[in-house]
Amino acid sequence: MKNYLVAGLVEDYRVKINLFALSPNGAVGVFKQKYPEAKDIYVIQNLFKPKS
């Protein structure tokens, strides 16, 4: 499982939460379950994070 940062628009507020999931699609699915009225949902990739 990986940690994904998922963002979505909930009642005119941008909500960003960290979720553990097997895939980005799974993380978006969990976000939709938590916030069913959310729009514009996407995963933020951390491209510049150093590998440790």
Side-chain angles (χ1 to χ4, degrees):
M1 297 195 52
K2 289 180 66 177
N3 192 15
Y4 294 99
L5 180 60
V6 183
L9 198 60
V10 180
E11 296 180 5
D12 296 332
Y13 291 101
R14 178 66 59 193
V15 177
K16 295 179 184 176
I17 59 172
N18 286 307
L19 296 171
F20 283 106
L22 293 175
S23 68
N25 286 339
V28 169
V30 171
F31 189 91
K32 285 182 180 179
Q33 287 178 351
K34 188 171 176 77
Y35 301 104
E37 68 281 354
K39 298 182 282 186
D40 191 27
I41 302 168
Y42 56 90
V43 175
I44 300 172
Q45 293 181 345
N46 206 347
L47 298 175
F48 303 107
K49 182 178 179 182
K51 301 201 182 205
S52 47

